[in-house]
C-alpha cells in the first residue's frame, strides 16, 4: 500500500482532494447523495493504490546490440528480452529504454497480458551521425491502473555499449611504391638445387640446426655454412592523424578535425583490404599495431590534443622501409623537422594536407601543397571542405606513378653510363 500511495499521479491526488472536499461539504449541507459521490471519488484511488501495490512482479531484461560496432549514419538494432519472474501477473506495463540524445528519441512499448513465466522480445533501431561510444540503458518500467490514478516506476539496471565509428569513403586502388619490409634475413627467392651460388648462405652460428647446414658451400669455403632463414615479407603502413587542436578549425561535424578522422578511417580500411599491416599513429606519437576493427574503434573515441608539434618518437625500425600516409591539418614552421624525420625513415610518404583556412571561413590559399611538405620529398595533395577523398587519393596515385617513372628513368640513365 505504501508503494501504491507513493505512486499516486496528479489525477489520483486530485481525486483524493475532490472526494474529501465532497464529503466535508455533504456533512455541512446535509446532502446524503453528495456523501456517496464523495466516498466513491475518495475510495477509487485508494483501491487502485492497494491493487497496484500488492502486485509482486519481477520483470527482468537482457539487452543485446547488433552490431556492437556500427559506422556513423548506419542503423543498429537493439533487442530487449523481457521476462516476468514474479509470483503475480503485472497486467499492462509501459517499457521505456534510456538512450543518449544523439541516438534519437527514447523508445516506448506498451506490453499487455504479462502473466507468470511471461517471455517476450521487443526490438528497436537507433542511428547516430556522431561518432563515439554510447551507453544504452537502464530500462524503466511503468505500471499503472486503468484510470491513470496510480503509476509505479521501476528501473531495471544494466546497460549495453554501442560504438559508432567514423563514416568511411571507398578509395580507388593506386600504385604505391614502398611499404614492403621483412623481419627475416633476406627477401625470399627461388633457389636451384644444383649450385651453391644459387643459395643464400651465411656462417654457422652456435644454436643453428644441423639440418640447415649447406654442405657444398661448407666444403668450398672450408667452414660450416648454413642456409639463411626465409621470412616472408609483409607490407606495413602507418596512418598518421594530426589531431592537434591548433592545427584544425571549425566546430562539430563540419570541422576540419572530423574531416581528418573520416580520411584516416577510410585510409585504414583501404590499406587493410590491400594486404597492409596498418597501425594508427596520433600527433603525440601514441600508436600500436592493431586490427582494422580495433583502429576504427579507436578512431571513434579520438579527440584533439594540446600537443604543440608532431611527435616522431614512433619512427625508427617500425617505420623504416614502410609506407606512411599522413592526414595533416594546418602546418607551421616548427613541423618541418618532424616531417623531415618521418620522410627519412619511411619507404614512401604520402600526405593529405587540409586547407584549414577554408574551414575557418577565410579566403582560400593558393592551390597546391605547402612548401614545407613538397620540399621534403612528400607526395601530397591539398583538400578543402568540399573536396572528395577518393579524388584526392587518386591524385596521390598519379603523383606516385610519375615519381616511379622518374626513378626508373634515372636508374636506366645510370646503367647506360
Amino acid at each position: 500500500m505504501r508503494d501504491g500511495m507513493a505512486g499516486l499521479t496528479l489525477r489520483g491526488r486530485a481525486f483524493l482532494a475532490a472526494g474529501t472536499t465532497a464529503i466535508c461539504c455533504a456533512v455541512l449541507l446535509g446532502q446524503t447523495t453528495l456523501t456517496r459521490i464523495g466516498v466513491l471519488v475518495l475510495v477509487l484511488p485508494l483501491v487502485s493504490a492497494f491493487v497496484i501495490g500488492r502486485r509482486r512482479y519481477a520483470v527482468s531484461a537482457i539487452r543485446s546490440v547488433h552490431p556492437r560496432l556500427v559506422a556513423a549514419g548506419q542503423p543498429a538494432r537493439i533487442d530487449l528480452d523481457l521476462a516476468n519472474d514474479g509470483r503475480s501477473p503485472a497486467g499492462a506495463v509501459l517499457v521505456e529504454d534510456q538512450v543518449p540524445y544523439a541516438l534519437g528519441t527514447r523508445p516506448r512499448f506498451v506490453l499487455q497480458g504479462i502473466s507468470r513465466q511471461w517471455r517476450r522480445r521487443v526490438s528497436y533501431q537507433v542511428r547516430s551521425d556522431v561518432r563515439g561510444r554510447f551507453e544504452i540503458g537502464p530500462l524503466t518500467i511503468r505500471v499503472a491502473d486503468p484510470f491513470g490514478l496510480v503509476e509505479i516506476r521501476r528501473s531495471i539496471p544494466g546497460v549495453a555499449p554501442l560504438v559508432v565509428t567514423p563514416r568511411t569513403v571507398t578509395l580507388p586502388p593506386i600504385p604505391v611504391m614502398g611499404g614492403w619490409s621483412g623481419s627475416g634475413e633476406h627477401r625470399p627467392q627461388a633457389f636451384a638445387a644444383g649450385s651453391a651460388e644459387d643459395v643464400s648462405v651465411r656462417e654457422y652460428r652456435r644454436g643453428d640446426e644441423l639440418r640447415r647446414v649447406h654442405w657444398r658451400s661448407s666444403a668450398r669455403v672450408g667452414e660450416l655454412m648454413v642456409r639463411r632463414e626465409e621470412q616472408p615479407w609483409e607490407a606495413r603502413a602507418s596512418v598518421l592523424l594530426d589531431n592537434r587542436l591548433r592545427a584544425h578549425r571549425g566546430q562539430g561535424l563540419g570541422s576540419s578535425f572530423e574531416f581528418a578522422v573520416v580520411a584516416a578511417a577510410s585510409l585504414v580500411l583501404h590499406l587493410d583490404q590491400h594486404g597492409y599491416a596498418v597501425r594508427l599513429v596520433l600527433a603525440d606519437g601514441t600508436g600500436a599495431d592493431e586490427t582494422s576493427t580495433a583502429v576504427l574503434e579507436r578512431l571513434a573515441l579520438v579527440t584533439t590534443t594540446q600537443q604543440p608539434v608532431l611527435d616522431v618518437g614512433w619512427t625508427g625500425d617500425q617505420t623504416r622501409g614502410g609506407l606512411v600516409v599522413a592526414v595533416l591539418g594546418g602546418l607551421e614552421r616548427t613541423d618541418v623537422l618532424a616531417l623531415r624525420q618521418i620522410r627519412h625513415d619511411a619507404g614512401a610518404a604520402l600526405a593529405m594536407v587540409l586547407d584549414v583556412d577554408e574551414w575557418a571561413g577565410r579566403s582560400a590559399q593558393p592551390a597546391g601543397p605547402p612548401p614545407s611538405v613538397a620540399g621534403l620529398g612528400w607526395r601530397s595533395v591539398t583538400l578543402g571542405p568540399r573536396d572528395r577523398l577518393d579524388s584526392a587519393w587518386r591524385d596521390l596515385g598519379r603523383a606516385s606513378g610519375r615519381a616511379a617513372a622518374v626513378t626508373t628513368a634515372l636508374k636506366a640513365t645510370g646503367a647506360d653510363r
Side-chain angles (χ1 to χ4, degrees), residues 235-277:
R236 291 184 293 133
S238 299
V239 176
L240 172 61
L241 172 61
D242 186 0
N243 63 326
R244 297 174 299 167
L245 180 61
R246 63 190 301 171
H248 292 281
R249 305 291 185 271
Q251 299 291 332
L253 293 178
S255 65
S256 61
F257 175 66
E258 290 299 327
F259 189 95
V261 172
V262 171
S266 303
L267 290 169
V268 167
L269 279 185
H270 176 77
L271 295 174
D272 179 74
Q273 293 171 358
H274 285 77
Y276 283 84

